[in-house]
Every structure is written in C-alpha cells, then in structure tokens.
Amino acid sequence: MCVSPCRPIRGMGTSDMGVEEIKRSSRQLRGTLDQELSQPKACFSEESNLLLKFHGAYQQDDRDERIERVKAKQDPAYIVMVRAKIPGGHLTAEQYLRLNRLAVELANGTLRLTSRQCVQFHGVLKCNLRSLIARLNREARITTFGACGDVARNVCATSAPLDTPAHRDAQALAVEITQALFPNREPYFEIWLNGAQLKSGTPAAPDPLYGDAYLPRKFKTGILVPPRNDVDIHTHDLGLVSHAPEGTVEGYTVLAGGGMGMDHGKAATYPHLARPVAYARRERVVEVARALLTVFRDWGDRTNRKHARLKYLVAEKGVPWLREQIQARLSFRLEDPRPFAVSTVADPHGWNAQGDGRFFYGLHVETGRIQDAGDRRLRTGLREIVERFRCPLRITANTSLLFCDLKAEDRAPLDALLKEHGIPLPETYSRARGMSMCCVALPTCGLALSESERVFGGLWDRLDSLLVEFGLEREPILLRMTGCPNGCARPYNADIALVGRGAGKYSLFLGGSQKGDRLAGLVQRSVALEDIPNALRPYLQRFARERADGETFSDWWGRTFTHVPAPHPSQFHEELERRLARPTVPTIEAP
Ligand code: SF4
C-alpha cells in the first residue's frame, strides 16, 4: 500500500531556473527516483516529480476529490499518469492486448489514446508504477522513456497502412528518428528494469546528444505522406513531408516551428504553424532532425519555460537564420523546400483498401478514451476484435484506431462485433463529430481550467442536432476542445476551437481550417458550455445559406472573412484584441 503522507500537490512548483538546475544535477535523469520508488510514500518529491516526466510519467491527483480532502485535512488523492511511447502509432495485436491487460491490472481499467499516437494509463498508484513500466517494457516491448519531458517526444507518422513506398517509409523513418533522438537509456533501464547500478551521489557524464540540461522544452516530430494531413504537419517542432514522385521516396521537405500552446491574454505566448525550411534527401533526413534538435538545445530560451519552444526562435529570428544554424551543423548542402499540398486532417474511417488485397477499418474513438460505459462496451469490444482477427493496429494523431491487414471475409464479423458491443459506426454520427478531438482535462490533468473529455459527448449530441437542422451532417468541419490554453488537442488551427478558461467557460476561436494550415481567431472570449450551440448557430446557418457548390466550411470562411493578411505570430494576441473590439466576423442575427 502507498500510505505515508506527502505535501499537498498544489504547493509544488519549481522556478524555470530551478528546473534547469534539477536537470543538470540529475545524473542523467536518475536523481533519487530509484530510492523514492522504494519508499512507502504515496507521492514523489518535487525534484523526482520533474524527472519522472522524462521517464514517461506525471504525478497527478484526483481533482474530483480535492476539495473534500482539503476540508477533511487529508492529502490529495495521488495518482500517476503513464504514457507509452509508440512511434507512428504502430502496435501489434499482442502489444494491444498487453496494454489492455495492464490497464485493468495496474491502472484505472481504461486506455487513453493521445493526439501524438501514444497510449496513456491513468490512475496508477505510485506503488504500482515500477511494475507497470517494467511490464510494459518486458511484456509489450514498449518504452515510456521520452514520452514526456524536455526531450524528443513520440514521433508521429502518417498512420494509414497503405501499400506504398511512401507510407512504409514514413513508419520506418519514425522508428529511425526515435532511435536517433533517444537520450542515453541506461538510467531508465537501471531504474525501471534492473535496479540501480550507479550509486547515489556518483556523478554521471553529460548525455552525448542532449548535454547535461537536456532541451529547454519538448521537441515534437511529425512525418507526413500528403495529401491527407493526418499528423497535422504544421503543429510540430519538426515536420517532414514525403516526396515520392516516381513511387520511390526521394526525400523530405523539412518544416520547423509548429506549436499550439499559449496562455490566455499573454502576448508573449502564441500558437504558431510550422514553416518550410529546407529539403533533404532521404538518407540525410535523420541527420537534419539531429541538427535541428541541437539548434533548439543550444538556442532555446532556458530562462522562461513559457517562451522556450522552438516556435519562438522561428517566429523571432526567422527561417533564414534557422536554416543557417542547421546548415552549420551538417556536412552536406540543404536544398530549398519543395511544394506540397494537403487535403484534410481527418482520418479514413470505416472500410478501406490497403492496396495489397487487404483492408483496414478506421474507428473514431470519441474522446480517445477506451473504456466500457453502460451499453457502450468499447474496451471489451476492441479486445475481442483484436483477439479474434489478430490484426496489427495504428493509433492516429486524431485518436482513431485503424485495424489493419484484414481480409474481405472479416468484414461482416467485425461489423457485427462493433454492433454487439454498442460501438457507434461512422454512418451513425456526423462527419464533423468523427473528425473532432478533445484533451483529457479534468479530473486528472493538473492544468485543466475546464472540463473537456467528460463533456465532449454531451456537447456533440447537441451539435449534431444543429448540423442536421442545417443539412450539414456530412460536412468536414473540424472542431477541437481543450480544458486550458496549452493546446494538447491542437485547437488553434481548427475551424472551431473551444479552449477552457474557467469552470464551464470556454473561449471560442473560429476560422482555422480542416486542412490544418490556418490559425483560427478569437471571436468570443468566454462562452458557457450550455451556450456553445447557440454561439455557433449563426455561423453554421450562414455557411449553409451562402456556400458555393462543394465549398467546405473552411473554404467559405476563408473566402468570407480572412481577406486581411494573417498577423505576424508575435502580434497574435494584439490581433485577437483588435478583432474582439471590431469583429471581422459580422454579428449575425439569431433566427
Ligand atoms: Fe490538460 Fe490543458 Fe493539455 Fe487539456 S490542453 S490535457 S487541460 S494541459
């Protein structure tokens, strides 16, 4: 049992310079984690809590219980979130079944798919943490190292299992980059698998790639096979776009500086879309990824974590500066970026041909949460599907699941299993609902200001009625929701973004794009959850009335409202204030 008292979680906080010092003195991320894991306390020290993130785990508390526990003078209900790192979202059937079993045995019985193709375990007790991570490694061959923390995060890649060289290469490259950007894994193996090898207090050499202070913040990579923009390529620190003109992959266009997080009303923080920087031949791409990571390592802001992402370097110093910095670290000449076009960020749902005589089935997992709830027995149903067909899976960056390598004769039994377990089929909900995404938020995320996952289904039931009313149920309208402005579900480039700002209140952003290549603008600072359908009604109504043949909501918005040039990212907040004061979006009378 985890029993001993801990200090309250809300009292924990480390200055930005303190974070840098903890990393530097951590002896390659060991700190005192090994010792603290062996202690009966229910929580970690402040220092270990920070280092734990690099190992793929966050200490949290159950926020539903906070107030009652404070009143009763009890410690917070400590729990840990554990994130499994899954390059390209690729899982074998055996790995999926193992994840499912571990969720039941050592977590809260659910799995949470993430917007970076990972799987999260929630509600893990500290006393079960070592066992969970060890079994993930030993039984499923899945690591958690670098799933969180100031290092290269899980590498996203186009997930559709199409039988083309470009699609196969995207998945292979995700694994190559993952391997190339790992910090030294010895400390991880020591702590979680083998027991401590390096005595407490013994100094360790700096990490060969990351140095002793790792990165200023996280570093995210996405790999895309156009045109389907399923990895949301403009939102990564490093975006790689495949070019395979004759069917063979020749190289990748390199984009840099994407990132979603910001703070409400703080002008120094803003979302930013990645910009094309260069082109590299296939055999050179991993070197470019390492070079960009080290530019960020050396130039990123280590005095202010709110300003520490690569996007601020790109926005403030510019693309030519960044390219020079990358070039200086390479032994070959970078080429100019090549043009590419993207279509939609949406995943392919339902039955699709792979091109090799087999099929894949795409299932939208609303909220990303795999659990049994009432008649909707998603976790049981998915387990039975994987047990029966032994199919590999892909997790998409939109929290869908793709069941791969299926035969034509699998279709009827798979459809029957979905129905039997009350799992909604794509034809039963709106197209917009099937594209949408939300973050976890309450009760586990310590940063959440508002609900997200727990109110998402109810909100969609009301929005679906609205879409039906205007005949828009098959329209690809991209809506994303988060419980705070950190942007885990990538809200700011969606057609419609709802960003939590307080209990039951959301900022409403409109005017991104279902292609993911345009930022939205703030149109209402605070909307109550129950008023969201009313706030959207006039725009949907006007779109239904004015749209040209085949025009999407994104196209219509672009034609109607975004005739002024986009502001420089550093003026993002200024622009938002200007729009609020003098809306570019005309007020439309409610019917
Ligand atoms: Fe938590 Fe905010 Fe991320 Fe949502 S967007 S999971 S509330 S940090």
Side-chain angles (χ1 to χ4, degrees):
M1 282 289 290
C2 307
V3 284
S4 298
C6 298
R7 82 182 98 167
I9 201 164
R10 281 172 298 171
M12 299 173 95
T14 308
S15 71
D16 294 351
M17 294 312 289
V19 170
E20 289 298 305
E21 187 45 43
I22 290 172
K23 288 189 280 184
R24 279 201 184 91
S25 60
S26 69
R27 300 178 308 125
Q28 289 196 1
L29 308 176
R30 290 175 176 90
T32 55
L33 271 175
D34 186 63
Q35 295 92 308
E36 290 189 36
L37 279 162
S38 304
Q39 292 166 359
K41 275 188 175 178
C43 68
F44 291 93
S45 68
E46 191 169 326
E47 177 188 328
S48 289
N49 192 22
L50 187 129
L51 297 178
L52 198 57
K53 294 175 186 172
F54 291 79
H55 296 257
Y58 269 75
Q59 178 168 274
Q60 303 175 323
D61 73 315
D62 184 337
R63 293 181 60 183
D64 284 347
E65 292 192 28
R66 254 192 204 174
I67 292 175
E68 286 308 312
R69 291 178 83 97
V70 167
K71 279 189 200 156
K73 299 193 180 348
Q74 292 174 334
D75 286 333
Y78 287 107
I79 43 178
V80 183
M81 181 278 283
V82 175
R83 187 177 293 156
K85 196 173 180 184
I86 303 170
H90 174 87
L91 285 173
T92 64
E94 287 65 33
Q95 284 175 317
Y96 181 82
L97 295 173
R98 194 61 70 174
L99 292 172
N100 175 72
R101 184 184 299 177
L102 290 172
V104 174
E105 291 180 9
L106 295 171
N108 68 355
T110 74
L111 292 169
R112 179 55 155 87
L113 308 180
T114 79
S115 57
R116 295 202 64 75
Q117 299 178 285
C118 296
V119 171
Q120 285 179 185
F121 296 87
H122 289 259
V124 180
L125 296 178
K126 175 176 171 261
C127 49
N128 289 329
L129 184 58
R130 182 135 49 190
S131 175
L132 175 58
I133 293 182
R135 289 181 62 185
L136 266 172
N137 279 271
R138 291 203 176 102
E139 297 173 15
R141 319 304 294 172
I142 291 174
T143 189
T144 62
F145 193 40
C148 323
D150 299 341
V151 287
R153 299 291 190 87
N154 193 47
V155 178
C156 291
T158 286
S159 45
L162 300 183
D163 185 30
T164 76
H167 285 81
R168 284 191 293 274
D169 192 61
Q171 286 282 321
L173 184 56
V175 175
E176 283 175 43
I177 291 177
T178 301
Q179 295 295 333
L181 301 188
F182 259 129
N184 176 21
R185 278 170 280 179
E186 270 312 304
Y188 180 82
F189 296 141
E190 283 178 16
I191 292 167
W192 305 103
L193 297 171
N194 306 328
Q197 307 289 307
L198 191 69
K199 273 205 187 107
S200 171
T202 310
D207 184 276
L209 175 61
Y210 288 89
D212 61 358
Y214 296 83
L215 299 180
R217 285 290 306 276
K218 54 195 162 189
F219 183 85
K220 297 177 173 179
T221 301
I223 303 167
L224 181 71
V225 180
R228 187 185 290 276
N229 187 14
D230 61 341
V231 299
D232 224 342
I233 196 67
H234 299 91
T235 63
H236 301 262
D237 294 284
L238 167 62
L240 296 166
V241 181
S242 170
H243 294 274
E246 305 297 329
T248 308
V249 178
E250 290 184 354
Y252 286 80
T253 284
V254 179
L255 286 78
M260 289 278 107
M262 65 165 210
D263 274 356
H264 286 304
K266 287 205 178 140
T269 65
Y270 42 84
H272 187 257
L273 297 183
R275 300 189 197 164
V277 174
Y279 171 89
R281 298 196 63 77
R282 170 63 177 91
E283 60 275 18
R284 301 294 204 184
V285 169
V286 175
E287 285 173 73
V288 175
R290 281 178 69 98
L292 180 62
L293 181 135
T294 59
V295 173
F296 178 46
R297 178 195 66 194
D298 298 344
W299 285 90
D301 187 347
R302 289 182 185 270
T303 64
N304 177 6
R305 289 180 68 77
K306 295 277 183 199
H307 186 254
R309 292 292 301 275
L310 179 71
K311 65 181 176 180
Y312 297 112
L313 284 177
V314 176
E316 291 161 19
K317 290 183 177 290
V319 167
W321 173 88
L322 182 70
R323 182 160 159 174
E324 271 174 31
Q325 290 295 324
I326 300 170
Q327 184 65 71
R329 293 158 200 253
L330 298 172
S331 57
F332 59 92
R333 292 302 302 170
L334 286 167
E335 298 172 38
D336 288 339
R338 299 193 179 175
F340 64 93
V342 291
S343 54
T344 177
V345 301
D347 291 323
H349 289 149
W351 287 92
N352 298 272
Q354 292 184 178
D356 59 358
R358 295 180 292 179
F359 300 86
F360 71 95
Y361 183 87
L363 181 74
H364 172 57
V365 179
E366 187 166 282
T367 75
R369 181 74 60 177
I370 297 176
Q371 65 183 341
D372 289 347
D375 293 340
R376 196 170 291 190
R377 293 179 304 121
L378 183 62
R379 194 180 63 76
T380 304
L382 298 190
R383 191 202 70 221
E384 288 186 18
I385 287 169
V386 179
E387 278 175 346
R388 171 154 182 182
F389 301 104
R390 290 282 153 188
C391 50
L393 299 100
R394 302 266 173 93
I395 302 161
T396 77
N398 299 304
T399 72
S400 298
L401 266 183
L402 310 182
F403 301 94
C404 308
D405 298 352
L406 296 165
K407 300 189 282 295
E409 56 267 35
D410 295 334
R411 185 169 186 147
L414 193 145
D415 285 347
L417 274 171
L418 291 171
K419 282 187 192 143
E420 194 183 303
H421 290 86
I423 300 169
L425 303 179
E427 53 274 21
T428 63
Y429 46 79
S430 68
R431 191 164 170 202
R433 189 171 187 160
M435 297 168 66
S436 66
M437 186 161 59
C438 66
C439 75
V440 173
L442 294 166
T444 53
C445 175
L447 301 174
L449 303 171
S450 318
E451 295 278 357
S452 180
E453 181 183 315
R454 293 196 295 192
V455 299
F456 204 53
L459 174 64
W460 263 114
D461 290 344
R462 296 177 66 204
L463 293 178
D464 267 352
S465 305
L466 199 58
L467 292 172
V468 169
E469 184 184 332
F470 296 125
L472 301 175
E473 59 270 34
R474 299 322 309 157
E475 288 308 310
I477 301 171
L478 184 62
L479 181 149
R480 289 170 173 170
M481 181 182 219
T482 57
C484 86
N486 283 312
C488 296
R490 303 191 297 270
Y492 305 108
N493 61 342
D495 287 313
I496 301 169
L498 298 159
V499 179
R501 61 178 307 126
K505 301 272 193 258
Y506 299 83
S507 289
L508 172 62
F509 292 74
L510 294 174
S513 162
Q514 57 105 21
K515 295 179 181 178
D517 58 357
R518 190 171 70 206
L519 284 177
L522 184 66
V523 297
Q524 213 166 321
R525 199 189 299 276
S526 181
V527 186
L529 176 65
E530 58 274 18
D531 293 336
I532 289 170
N534 275 342
L536 294 177
R537 166 178 282 277
Y539 303 107
L540 295 173
Q541 184 184 35
R542 184 167 167 190
F543 165 57
R545 200 191 292 151
E546 292 180 359
R547 63 186 300 204
D549 256 4
E551 197 173 41
T552 62
F553 185 85
S554 310
D555 294 340
W556 168 76
W557 189 278
R559 173 168 66 81
T560 309
F561 298 126
T562 52
H563 46 274
V564 286
H568 185 273
S570 61
Q571 268 105 51
F572 185 75
H573 285 262
E574 214 171 280
E575 172 66 10
L576 297 186
E577 291 301 325
R578 192 184 65 74
R579 286 189 196 181
L580 280 174
R582 190 158 43 80
T584 51
V585 182
T587 308
I588 306 166
E589 75 289 354

